[in-house]
């Protein structure tokens, strides 16, 4: 699998991307993204904004991350595709497999992880070992800026350097202890936060990134950019997940309405009684519908074209949405009958691919 990396450009420097212009000064040069040779290079903007030179805090990050076996980034090209829901349920799944798990939320402006883990209103505590994660269970700890906001409705209006500083502090100061997995929930896109987390973690070894998308082209366009970002900065792509891949819902959970000139009237009770009388076996059947246009092949076709692994599809399941709203695992009962098996299959494939 191609993940991009160094070796191209000028004289085989290790910090020169493979698709760089001739005479590239290297990504760590003070001239990176600014030199005449950088004009027109696809990496110019990333190189110009990335921090340069050795960072003294990297030593502390490497030491802190030495107790973390696997580091997985969860990315998305576009917002609203269910990336944080996937990050939360991935963490629940790993914890229920008796793994020691940490979930780090670096979506500074939109920290939804505390709610999705049922941890709203919790505070961060400090000890002589550093910041202590907030624990859902004894083997599932969480860290997020959401724990630092006096009011959950407060807007975080920060420029890049301040965001980068907090990400660095999370990596350097949070005392995760000995854990098997650190799942990092990143904001959508390819912005400062992504450049920072990659730069800070590369010295410690990143297992790779999972990219979450929905089936339609308007989402896949941005996912292609995310894949190319990973290749350019040398982050392995563990696979792509197609989320909201069609609606799956037990018929008895549907609401029915009658439409007329005066608007809609609820007909749920009548419809369910009618079905129960005439065809009761239908009440346990799962109704399926394509919500997003996947006629062009969706994420699976895109993965085949771009040479990256496809991990699987997760259907749009109202019960999964409810579990996320309530901050609980979708695996503890049988309510998420459409989505939980799909998520388990993806987690199994992910772990098998790492072994």
């Amino acid at each position: 699998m191609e993940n991009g990396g160094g070796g191209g450009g000028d004289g085989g420097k290790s910090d020169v991307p493979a698709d760089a212009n001739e005479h590239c000064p290297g990504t760590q040069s003070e001239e990176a993204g600014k030199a005449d040779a950088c004009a027109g290079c696809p990496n110019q903007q990333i190189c110009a904004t990335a921090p340069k030179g050795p960072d003294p805090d990297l030593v502390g990050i490497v030491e802190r991350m030495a107790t973390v076996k696997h580091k997985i980034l969860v990315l998305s090209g576009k917002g609203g595709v269910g990336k944080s829901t996937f990050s939360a349920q991935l963490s629940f799944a790993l914890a229920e497999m008796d793994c020691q798990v940490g979930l780090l939320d670096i979506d500074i402006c939109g920290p939804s992880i505390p709610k999705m883990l049922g941890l709203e209103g919790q505070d961060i505590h400090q000890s002589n070992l550093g910041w202590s994660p907030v624990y859902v269970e004894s083997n599932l700890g969480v860290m997020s800026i959401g724990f630092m906001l006096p009011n959950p409705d407060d807007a975080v209006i920060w420029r890049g350097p301040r965001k980068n500083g907090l990400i660095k502090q999370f990596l350097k100061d949070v005392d995760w202890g000995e854990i098997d997995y650190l799942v990092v929930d990143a904001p959508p896109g390819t912005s400062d936060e992504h450049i920072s987390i990659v730069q800070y973690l590369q010295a410690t070894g990143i297992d790779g990134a999972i990219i979450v998308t929905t089936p339609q082209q308007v989402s896949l366009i941005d996912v292609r950019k995310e894949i190319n970002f990973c290749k350019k900065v040398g982050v392995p792509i563990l696979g792509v997940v197609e989320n909201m891949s069609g609606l799956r819902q037990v018929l008895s959970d549907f609401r029915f309405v009658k439409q007329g000139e005066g608007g809609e009237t609820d007909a749920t009770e009548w419809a369910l009684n009618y079905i129960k009388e005439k065809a009761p076996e239908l009440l346990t059947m799962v109704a399926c519908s394509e919500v997003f246009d996947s006629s062009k092949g969706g994420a699976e076709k895109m993965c085949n074209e771009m040479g990256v692994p496809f991990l699987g599809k997760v259907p749009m399941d109202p019960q999964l949405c409810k579990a996320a709203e309530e901050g609980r695992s979708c695996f503890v009962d049988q309510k998420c009958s459409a989505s939980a098996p799909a998520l388990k299959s993806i987690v199994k494939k992910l772990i098998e691919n790492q072994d």
Side-chain angles (χ1 to χ4, degrees):
M1 179 176 67
E2 180 188 357
N3 293 315
D10 190 324
K13 294 179 185 176
S14 62
D15 65 339
V16 174
D19 57 350
N21 289 353
E22 189 177 5
H23 307 306
C24 169
T27 58
Q28 292 302 308
S29 167
E30 291 296 329
E31 293 298 308
K34 304 172 186 176
D36 291 342
C38 300
C41 176
N43 309 297
Q44 186 176 11
Q45 185 176 2
I46 292 176
C47 292
T49 57
K52 307 297 188 301
D55 186 336
D57 287 329
L58 285 179
V59 175
I61 292 172
V62 170
E63 290 176 353
R64 184 69 79 178
M65 290 292 109
T67 61
V68 180
K69 292 180 183 177
H70 300 287
K71 306 166 196 74
I72 298 174
L73 306 182
V74 182
L75 310 175
S76 69
K78 189 173 289 296
V81 299
K83 170 188 54 62
S84 294
T85 299
F86 179 81
S87 296
Q89 297 303 325
L90 170 62
S91 301
F92 276 129
L94 292 170
E96 287 171 19
M97 296 169 66
D98 291 329
C99 296
Q100 298 292 325
V101 184
L103 175 54
L104 174 60
D105 181 7
I106 63 166
D107 193 343
I108 307 300
C109 296
S112 53
I113 288 298
K115 180 172 182 60
M116 291 187 174
L117 274 292
L119 297 173
E120 285 183 298
Q122 298 294 317
D123 296 319
I124 296 171
H125 299 284
Q126 288 184 290
S127 70
N128 59 342
L129 297 176
W131 290 355
S132 297
V134 178
Y135 284 90
V136 184
E137 302 287 349
S138 60
N139 64 335
L140 175 53
V142 181
M143 181 56 66
S144 170
I145 190 177
F147 299 135
M148 303 176 177
L149 301 177
N151 186 326
D153 295 332
D154 287 347
V156 179
I157 308 172
W158 289 2
R159 294 187 184 274
R162 193 172 180 190
K163 292 180 183 178
N164 298 341
L166 181 61
I167 292 170
K168 182 189 290 186
Q169 194 165 9
F170 278 158
L171 295 175
K172 183 170 63 76
D173 293 343
V174 175
D175 177 31
W176 297 104
E178 297 275 349
I179 62 173
D180 299 301
Y181 289 93
L182 179 65
V183 178
V184 181
D185 184 52
T190 54
S191 55
D192 283 348
E193 294 95 322
H194 304 80
I195 297 168
S196 296
I197 195 72
V198 169
Q199 183 197 22
Y200 298 148
L201 283 182
Q202 271 184 333
T204 74
I206 305 174
D207 287 64
I210 300 170
I211 303 175
V212 182
T213 184
T214 46
Q216 77 277 34
Q217 288 299 309
V218 72
S219 178
L220 296 175
I221 288 169
D222 288 338
V223 169
R224 289 184 175 91
K225 297 171 186 174
E226 198 81 33
I227 289 171
N228 285 326
F229 167 82
C230 290
K231 291 181 177 181
K232 286 174 183 176
V233 298
V235 174
I237 299 167
L238 301 176
V240 174
V241 173
E242 183 178 283
N243 197 28
M244 306 185 200
S245 183
L247 175 67
R248 303 288 186 274
Q249 187 171 0
V250 176
L251 190 64
S252 59
D253 288 342
F254 272 86
R255 176 174 172 262
F256 297 85
V257 296
K258 288 182 179 179
Q259 292 182 321
E261 292 182 1
E264 294 182 348
T265 57
D266 188 274
T268 304
E269 185 177 357
W270 172 85
L272 291 177
N273 285 336
Y274 185 86
I275 295 170
K276 185 176 181 180
E277 180 183 346
K278 302 295 183 180
E281 64 275 12
L282 291 179
L283 293 174
T284 58
M285 295 190 70
V286 176
C288 306
S289 175
E290 294 300 320
V291 178
F292 299 111
D293 179 19
S294 58
S295 60
K296 295 190 177 178
E300 188 168 9
K301 182 181 178 184
M302 179 204 66
C303 288
N304 290 333
E305 293 171 349
M306 299 194 72
V308 298
F310 179 65
L311 291 175
K313 301 179 180 182
V314 180
M316 183 179 285
D317 180 357
Q319 290 296 331
L320 175 60
C321 299
K322 189 175 181 181
E325 284 288 304
E326 295 175 355
R328 56 181 173 82
S329 168
C330 73
F331 306 107
V332 294
D333 53 37
Q334 302 300 314
K335 293 180 180 179
C336 299
S337 58
S339 56
L343 285 163
K344 279 186 177 178
S345 175
I346 288 169
V347 174
K348 183 180 178 182
K349 187 181 296 185
L350 178 68
I351 292 175
E352 287 175 350
N353 290 347
Q354 287 188 299
D355 291 339

